[in-house]
Amino acid sequence: MTPAIEVRNLRFSYHDQKTALDGVSFSVAEGECVALVGPNGAGKSTLLQHLNGLLPEKFGPDPAVAIFGRPVSVESLEETHRKVGFLFQDSDDQLFCPTVYEDVAFGPQQFGGDGREISRIVRESLAKVGLEGFADRIPHHLSAGEKQRVCLAGILACEPSILVLDEPTSDLDPRSKRGLVALLKSLPVTKVIASHDLELVVQLCPRTILLDGGRVVADGATMRLLADEELMLRHGLEKPHSLQHLHPHGGG
Ligand code: ADP
């Protein structure tokens, strides 16, 4: 079956800087939920941005990323944006309208749709993220966690097949985090989630890709990778508390 995401030998450098992605390859099957972990500067954000063509200036003749079999290129950008919903690490990068309603309606409006239909989608999307009654609020007057949920509502409003989330819990309090985990679990779409929150990874993602120095250094079952204390420490991470009793090679 065609994978939802296929990345083949992806290399990328910002301008003349050192290599940010150094031959990254992996594929994600439809419906999988995959975590992307690694230390600061590993290349996680850069990789995520390639998944929906946010770094278009480097499209070569042979695109390294394909979404449901379709190479990500200048020609397929609109289709890619539609299929891949991207949650930025910083909500302020994503919110630019005077009201929450307009921010959430922005995507569906780009893809067509009449006013009544859009109004229904906006209401439903806000309800999904627990922000009923927020439609008339000013995005920049909301708390960081609320802003992040408005961004997520805006993405859900476009009904993407793939969700790409960059540090989705960085601004959330524990209750909002539990809400997000429950919401993400209830969405049957393919997900790729970059996070330093390894407890979240344990709860949500059966598979983890560990990136360091722009390379995939491990790709496998979350329980096995994250329980490997030596591997975690070597790459600037920590074995999560919930896995303290587990030993990666059995015997625990
Ligand atoms: P991570 O998300 O894992 O922290 P990034 O993808 O942000 O890693 O960064 C990977 C590498 O690319 C780092 O060396 C970082 O300094 C560099 N980098 C990231 N964004 C930019 C940018 N806009 N311009 C130049 N270099 C960048």
Side-chain angles (χ1 to χ4, degrees):
M1 215 163 79
T2 310
I5 300 169
E6 172 107 61
V7 177
R8 210 165 9 92
N9 198 23
L10 173 59
R11 292 177 191 281
F12 181 80
S13 314
Y14 289 95
H15 315 292
D16 295 329
Q17 316 247 342
K18 74 175 176 51
T19 307
L21 296 175
D22 190 11
V24 170
S25 299
F26 63 91
S27 66
V28 177
E30 186 169 6
E32 257 194 299
C33 183
V34 179
L36 189 61
V37 305
N40 289 328
K44 301 182 295 297
S45 291
T46 306
L47 173 56
L48 291 188
Q49 289 176 64
H50 278 86
L51 300 183
N52 87 338
L54 280 168
L55 288 170
E57 74 273 20
K58 296 285 174 178
F59 288 151
D62 183 19
V65 180
I67 299 299
F68 290 107
R70 180 111 148 92
V72 176
S73 64
V74 177
E75 292 77 41
S76 67
L77 259 197
E78 196 184 322
E79 187 185 331
T80 304
H81 288 163
R82 201 179 172 134
K83 283 189 187 144
V84 184
F86 191 97
L87 184 75
F88 286 84
Q89 190 168 357
D90 185 350
S91 306
D92 290 325
D93 288 345
Q94 203 150 350
L95 299 171
F96 47 85
C97 294
T99 66
V100 165
Y101 182 93
E102 286 163 276
D103 255 319
V104 178
F106 184 81
Q109 273 162 353
Q110 298 300 299
F111 301 136
D114 67 65
R116 285 223 338 240
E117 172 72 358
I118 288 174
S119 161
R120 180 186 64 75
I121 293 172
V122 171
R123 257 199 338 272
E124 283 178 10
S125 303
L126 285 173
K128 276 187 194 157
V129 300
L131 289 182
E132 295 97 336
F134 274 64
D136 296 328
R137 301 279 293 272
I138 300 167
H140 289 285
H141 292 176
L142 301 177
S143 74
E146 287 165 348
K147 281 186 200 172
Q148 205 165 25
R149 284 191 278 156
V150 173
C151 292
L152 190 57
I155 292 167
L156 297 180
C158 300
E159 300 182 333
S161 318
I162 300 174
L163 276 178
V164 172
L165 312 175
D166 196 355
E167 293 289 349
T169 55
S170 51
D171 287 324
L172 300 186
D173 62 27
R175 183 173 47 192
S176 308
K177 202 154 92 173
R178 283 197 298 276
L180 180 72
V181 169
L183 171 64
L184 292 176
K185 273 190 173 163
S186 74
L187 299 171
V189 299
T190 308
K191 298 167 208 109
V192 179
I193 305 175
S195 187
H196 289 301
D197 183 344
L198 299 187
E199 298 293 351
L200 173 97
V201 169
V202 169
Q203 286 173 48
L204 266 181
C205 307
R207 173 179 163 205
T208 291
I209 295 174
L210 170 56
L211 206 65
D212 200 355
R215 294 171 185 222
V216 174
V217 294
D219 178 352
T222 294
M223 293 301 189
R224 185 170 55 77
L225 258 65
L226 270 53
D228 188 339
E229 187 151 30
E230 208 259 321
L231 179 73
M232 293 290 99
L233 292 176
R234 197 159 5 112
H235 297 287
L237 304 170
E238 250 174 18
K239 181 173 173 176
H241 278 295
S242 59
L243 301 187
Q244 284 307 331
H245 64 290
L246 273 187
H247 297 282
H249 308 298

